[in-house]
Amino acid sequence: MVTFPRPESVLPVPLRDLVADLEEASLVAVTASGPGPEADDRSVTGVTLDSRQVRDGDLYAALPGANVHGARFVAQAVAAGAVAVLTDRVGLELARQAGGASDQVLPVVVVPDPRAALGRAAARIYRPSAGQDASMAVFGITGTNGKTTTAYLVDGGLQALGRTTGLIGTVETRIGDERIKSARTTPEASDLQALLAVMAERGVQRCTMEVSSHALVMHRVDGLVYDVAAFTNLSQDHLDFHGTMEDYFLAKASLFTPERCRQGVVVVDDAWGVRLAAEATVPVVTVAARLPDADWQVRDLGDQRFELVGQGRTLQLRSPLPGDFNQLNTAVAALVLHLGGVDLEEAARAVCADPRVPGRMERVDAGGDDPMAVVDFAHTPDAVEAALAALRSQTAGRLVAVVGAGGSRDAGKRPLMGAAAAAGADLVVITDDNPRDEDPAAIRQAVAAGVGAQDRERVQVVAGRADGIAAAVALTTGPQDTVVVLGKGHEQGQEVAGEIHPFDDRDELRRALARRHTTNDERAGAPQVDGQTERGEGRP
């Protein structure tokens, strides 16, 4: 469990004012009878949806969950000091049955969708306390791939310009120099609004954050209007949650409305980006590497150098990270800063500083006679294709890729990832990547199913991620080769059968490189499975 800080000083919000604010937004259907909020003179000084984190003066948001309703924990919340409850009709009845809260114990605000009301309530409670909203700009980055890299480029650029920054995303949450490991890409609404208030308290001038599609659908960013939002791309992922690409797109597109941002930057190199730019209801600037009529063009000059051309201007830039897609990410970051009030040339220079993005095209130190070793977060077909294309141009010898797919997630992308890996690398090792509650062997074979018969002799299927990484390193012959481990990037755990084992691709790759000269090729004589080599005991 990640515990985020809360602001030190919060202005008490009268409960009746909070309810009035929700009613104004048409989020309140009915309030509980008895000593309900409309007749109560108490005030609220915080909000949380986790009963274990309730403090004196909190509004406890009892939300319906996938497995249990939060109202079942109202008694614990009351004992910890909650002064009111936000829930739905089902939650009110559950709380009454549990005996921990009713309209005779404390005020209960009943709404049709408490999750939809939570963001508005949290913003009402925390943001006025900071008193500095106008001075702290907030930038939001969304897209299937590139969110983390672009966010780090924006944040790095802001730091290079001398700003005090905050960062919220997949890898970490950062408030100035304080770092907190992230539990999810975008925090829950109550945590997010508290974080923004803490940042304002501590003098943060600019906050950059990744905005996931889950967060948009689940109302985590409600109550927040981004100064600038950016869209990087859309490709198949998360269909276990969204169901269809159309719904996935609509989730992303909802960011580019006046309720959620003031202006945007949209990459229009795919049909989804073109559609978003056309349908956005806020002003947007478009950028592309392939579409000729975008507002800004990215023109590759080789050796990570590129031109950003538009509006009668041409800027010469060098991407701090390899790959055509990182040229686009760099251009997007520069344009976000420009729309945020920074001179474009100054912004472009700033974002080209080394951003040190954890787990994104991250080099792992190796000896002089070892291959170039890289770890990358690519975990979608498009991202795998782009990462391998970027490394191909830097590899004189063989490109060896490690790829896998997570369990209990979008199963439709698995064969597509296998196909992308086989098309982009000389040799491929298919292994495990957070199998979660699924059979790892079944996931490996689903990925391998995308490999064509003509490519199977170049593919090994290896049980256990550590063994898979070791097998990939054993396939290299010297410094002219490249080995890349795809899928987990910065992550430091491997989830298998409900248990998270410590695991870091970077550390495992270093160990494999250290053993490289003494490791025998274990492929010889291994049994064959569907034309690919299947071996290993399955270490995480």
Side-chain angles (χ1 to χ4, degrees):
M1 179 178 70
V2 175
T3 301
F4 291 108
R6 294 202 202 177
E8 294 181 1
S9 177
V10 178
L11 300 176
V13 178
L15 185 58
R16 59 168 58 92
D17 290 354
L18 180 62
V19 172
D21 191 57
L22 294 176
E23 288 175 335
E24 182 181 352
S26 302
L27 292 170
V28 171
V30 65
T31 56
S33 58
E38 67 279 353
D40 199 276
D41 61 357
R42 71 189 70 194
S43 294
V44 178
T45 54
V47 57
T48 182
L49 51 72
D50 189 336
S51 62
R52 298 166 295 180
Q53 297 189 19
V54 170
R55 300 181 185 180
D56 285 338
D58 273 0
L59 170 69
Y60 172 54
L63 309 185
N67 300 311
V68 64
H69 199 296
R72 295 192 181 278
F73 305 103
V74 165
Q76 293 93 313
V78 173
V83 297
V85 175
L86 173 70
T87 192
D88 55 13
R89 289 182 180 273
V90 173
L92 176 61
E93 293 306 315
L94 287 172
R96 285 173 171 168
Q97 293 168 17
S102 73
D103 51 10
Q104 301 302 315
V105 177
L106 82 171
V108 182
V109 182
V110 182
V111 299
D113 185 353
R115 182 171 285 280
L118 177 59
R120 177 96 178 193
R124 178 68 178 84
I125 293 166
Y126 287 125
R127 299 305 291 282
S129 302
Q132 302 181 45
D133 286 358
S135 65
M136 187 177 75
V138 184
F139 305 133
I141 315 296
T142 198
T144 304
N145 303 308
K147 292 189 298 297
T148 299
T149 298
T150 304
Y152 269 84
L153 287 164
V154 172
D155 181 74
L158 289 166
Q159 291 188 48
L161 292 167
R163 309 291 196 271
T164 303
T165 69
L167 181 69
I168 301 173
T170 304
V171 177
E172 63 182 345
T173 295
R174 195 169 68 236
I175 308 168
D177 293 330
E178 181 183 356
R179 296 173 183 269
I180 305 166
K181 184 178 178 180
S182 292
R184 52 172 57 91
T185 297
T186 311
E188 294 286 1
S190 50
D191 290 328
L192 174 60
Q193 295 295 341
L195 277 170
L196 294 172
V198 170
M199 288 182 184
E201 271 188 347
R202 299 184 186 179
V204 168
Q205 299 166 306
R206 302 288 186 271
C207 173
T208 307
M209 61 179 292
E210 300 175 50
V211 187
S212 69
S213 57
H214 290 67
L216 291 161
V217 171
M218 300 177 73
H219 303 282
R220 293 178 192 159
V221 296
D222 286 10
L224 173 62
V225 179
Y226 294 92
D227 292 270
V228 185
F231 171 87
T232 57
N233 52 60
L234 192 75
S235 63
Q236 183 172 337
D237 200 9
H238 304 306
L239 296 192
D240 55 304
F241 178 78
H242 295 289
T244 67
M245 286 296 294
E246 176 69 12
D247 287 342
Y248 186 23
F249 167 77
L250 292 175
K252 296 288 190 185
S254 69
L255 179 57
F256 296 84
T257 61
E259 294 77 22
R260 285 180 164 158
C261 85
R262 296 185 174 90
Q263 54 189 329
V265 179
V266 177
V267 176
V268 291
D269 267 340
D270 61 35
W272 298 110
V274 172
R275 177 180 169 187
L276 176 58
E279 296 181 2
T281 53
V282 295
V284 298
V285 170
T286 59
V287 58
R290 296 190 295 269
L291 191 73
D293 56 353
D295 297 322
W296 292 91
Q297 287 287 316
V298 171
R299 297 176 181 171
D300 183 18
L301 300 177
D303 192 29
Q304 298 178 215
R305 296 178 301 110
F306 67 98
E307 289 181 338
L308 182 60
V309 182
Q311 299 181 358
R313 304 174 69 176
T314 299
L315 282 75
Q316 302 279 337
L317 304 173
R318 189 178 192 278
S319 171
L321 299 167
D324 294 349
F325 59 96
N326 278 321
Q327 293 180 4
L328 265 174
N329 292 337
T330 302
V332 169
L335 291 169
V336 166
L337 292 185
H338 179 51
L339 292 184
V342 179
D343 174 77
L344 183 57
E345 291 191 11
E346 189 177 4
R349 285 194 299 270
V351 300
C352 287
D354 183 5
R356 299 184 182 274
V357 187
R360 273 65 177 175
M361 284 295 174
E362 184 175 353
R363 294 280 296 269
V364 173
D365 292 337
D369 62 344
D370 279 328
M372 181 170 71
V374 178
V375 167
D376 191 73
F377 192 56
H379 61 281
T380 68
D382 282 4
V384 169
E385 178 183 357
L388 294 176
L391 293 170
R392 170 65 69 192
S393 63
Q394 301 181 41
T395 303
R398 296 190 299 182
L399 176 57
V400 184
V402 177
V403 67
S408 307
R409 298 292 186 269
D410 182 3
K413 69 179 183 180
R414 294 171 186 173
L416 302 178
M417 292 177 67
D426 297 301
L427 299 168
V428 177
V429 174
I430 295 172
T431 191
D432 303 327
D433 180 348
N434 290 325
R436 300 186 176 90
D437 295 321
E438 286 194 62
D439 176 11
I443 300 174
R444 294 192 298 269
Q445 289 307 308
V447 176
V451 179
Q454 71 280 5
D455 295 321
R456 288 180 180 173
E457 64 180 14
R458 299 188 291 108
V459 175
Q460 293 185 32
V461 181
V462 180
R465 193 168 182 87
D467 290 333
I469 293 172
V473 170
L475 292 171
T476 62
T477 59
Q480 74 279 4
D481 293 344
T482 296
V483 58
V484 57
V485 182
L486 302 170
K488 291 173 60 62
H490 67 284
E491 293 178 1
Q492 297 179 13
Q494 175 84 332
E495 187 174 349
V496 183
E499 183 178 355
I500 298 179
H501 304 267
F503 196 99
D504 189 318
D505 281 353
R506 295 163 293 193
D507 292 341
E508 199 62 44
L509 187 51
R510 288 188 188 97
R511 281 192 283 269
L513 289 166
R515 296 191 303 264
R516 174 173 171 268
H517 297 295
T518 58
T519 300
N520 295 323
D521 185 355
E522 299 175 356
R523 289 179 298 151
Q528 296 295 306
V529 178
D530 292 335
Q532 294 110 14
T533 303
E534 170 86 44
R535 62 183 180 82
E537 294 300 318
R539 292 186 294 149

